[in-house]
Amino acid sequence: MHDNAPDKEDVAAGPRQARRSLRRRAPWLAGLLAGIAALAALILFITHAGDITTFARQAANAKAGPLFAAAAVQALPYLITAFVWFLFLRRIGTPLKFMSLVPLSFAKLFADQAIPSGGLSGAAFFLFALTQRDVPDKSAFRTFVFTTSAYFLAFLCAAIISLIALSLAEEAPPALSASVSAFAGFFVLLTVLAGLAILYKAPMPAFLAGRRFAQKAAEFLGAAVADIRHMPGLFAKLAMLLLASRVMDGLTVMLISKAIGAPVPLFTGFIAVATASIAATIGPVPMGLGTFEAGMIASLSVFGVSVEDALTITLIYRGLTLWLPLLPGFAILQREFLRRAGATAEKTDPDQA
């Protein structure tokens, strides 16, 4: 009679599991709230310092044509990312259809932005999605390391170009030159160390040598590093494609600025996005809330853009490049995990004969 009634232990376990889940998410929620608060404070400060009516009028009267063009241009970085994956997978003999990779670029954005883990969340999803498409584990890992390394090379080039341009600008604060030197020196050092690691295979630490997972990871990493060493032409090609993706971001800023009647050059837009990306990367806040906006507004202001114009450009840009793509990204991410769950259920269902 009471066979279907829940056990007392099960009833008690529910609240405990909920508390554990909340504790696990607490750092993420705290970071998200801090980012929202920082963004709100930034907007209030700028609208208080400037003319809030100008900001409201610009946002309301933005021209639809350039805005639609900006939205169309923002689709290109996702296509470029998918094309980069497509080229490498084809080279190593595990080709996938190009259009099957395009949705993954949106989902990876959601995983990277929504979960602050230094890119690990997006990496985990990417490896998961490739293995779901019958790509061997080793090939998936090689694809991730090779294309991610190309991405960081493109990021480094864009960052150095942008920071040098900022330091040479007439309106740049005096402390910016020192920041440029420190940042450029740090990343050049990282690049040199990474290059040495690629050219000379470092021995595994003794405390990891006997562990199976470490041996497996070393095998995969060794294959990925060998790819970069043996395919420098493809590596440079992919890095240039990803750098072109950064240029598309600058073009988006240029089109948005044209839409609100405060045009900025393409190069200025490129610098603004690259600088904001650096700020968002350094900051621990989910989705770079507050830090990205502050970096972009500050860099635009250095090149003579008013704070009201810079705020309007930044908020519209973030809407097109972050908030709008997060919606399909979340849906695709859910679909990928449901796809895995469905496949697992089919394998374990004893009625399936």
Side-chain angles (χ1 to χ4, degrees):
M1 182 175 177
H2 300 286
D3 288 344
N4 296 327
D7 295 337
K8 291 182 179 180
E9 293 182 0
D10 293 339
V11 173
R16 285 199 300 268
Q17 291 175 352
R19 286 194 296 270
R20 290 194 198 100
S21 177
L22 184 59
R23 281 196 296 269
R24 284 195 299 268
R25 297 180 183 181
W28 182 88
L29 291 173
L32 181 61
L33 291 174
I36 293 172
L39 177 58
L42 179 67
I43 294 172
L44 287 173
F45 173 77
I46 291 175
T47 53
H48 178 73
D51 184 359
I52 191 169
T53 59
T54 302
F55 161 68
R57 184 174 62 253
Q58 284 179 328
N61 297 330
K63 297 177 182 177
L67 283 182
F68 281 122
V73 166
Q74 263 308 298
L76 294 178
Y78 297 99
L79 297 175
I80 290 173
T81 299
F83 188 58
V84 164
W85 296 336
F86 169 78
L87 288 177
F88 183 78
L89 285 167
R90 187 178 65 179
R91 174 66 70 88
I92 64 173
T94 54
L96 292 177
K97 291 182 179 179
F98 169 68
M99 291 308 298
S100 72
L101 294 170
V102 173
L104 300 186
S105 61
F106 285 90
K108 188 175 182 297
L109 169 76
F110 178 86
D112 279 330
Q113 297 289 344
I115 307 172
S117 59
L120 292 178
S121 53
F125 167 75
F126 179 65
L127 294 173
F128 167 82
L130 287 188
T131 54
Q132 286 297 106
R133 286 160 174 76
D134 298 324
V135 175
D137 292 347
K138 189 173 182 178
S139 297
F141 190 80
R142 289 168 63 191
T143 304
F144 168 72
V145 173
F146 195 93
T147 57
T148 301
S149 299
Y151 167 81
F152 278 115
L153 178 60
F155 180 88
L156 174 63
C157 292
I160 291 176
I161 292 169
S162 300
L163 290 173
I164 290 175
L166 279 173
S167 67
L168 296 176
E170 294 181 0
E171 299 295 326
L176 190 58
S177 297
S179 302
V180 169
S181 301
F183 181 87
F186 175 71
F187 274 92
V188 167
L189 176 62
L190 286 182
T191 304
V192 170
L193 293 176
L196 291 174
I198 291 171
L199 292 174
Y200 304 100
K201 188 177 179 180
M204 185 183 298
F207 70 93
L208 291 176
R211 299 184 181 275
R212 185 176 178 182
F213 80 90
Q215 293 174 349
K216 196 76 171 177
E219 176 191 348
F220 284 10
L221 185 59
V225 168
D227 288 332
I228 299 174
R229 191 167 57 241
H230 296 146
M231 293 186 282
L234 179 62
F235 186 73
K237 180 180 180 179
L238 299 190
M240 290 300 294
L241 282 170
L242 292 166
L243 186 58
S245 177
R246 290 283 173 178
V247 176
M248 295 300 102
D249 290 333
L251 180 58
T252 302
V253 172
M254 187 184 78
L255 289 169
I256 293 171
S257 67
K258 183 179 179 181
I260 67 169
V264 300
L266 172 62
F267 187 60
T268 300
F270 172 82
I271 292 169
V273 175
T275 306
S277 298
I278 295 168
T281 301
I282 295 172
V285 179
M287 297 179 283
L289 286 177
T291 54
F292 185 98
E293 288 79 7
M296 190 165 177
I297 290 169
S299 57
L300 287 172
S301 299
V302 164
F303 288 96
V305 181
S306 69
V307 288
E308 296 91 347
D309 293 341
L311 176 63
T312 307
I313 292 168
T314 300
L315 292 182
I316 295 176
Y317 176 85
R318 287 289 266 174
L320 291 177
T321 62
L322 175 63
W323 300 111
L324 188 60
L326 282 182
L327 297 175
F330 176 72
I332 295 166
L333 191 76
Q334 291 291 98
R335 188 193 68 182
E336 289 294 321
F337 286 116
L338 288 174
R339 175 181 175 181
R340 169 63 181 272
T344 303
E346 288 182 2
K347 290 179 181 180
T348 57
D349 190 349
D351 295 332
Q352 298 286 336

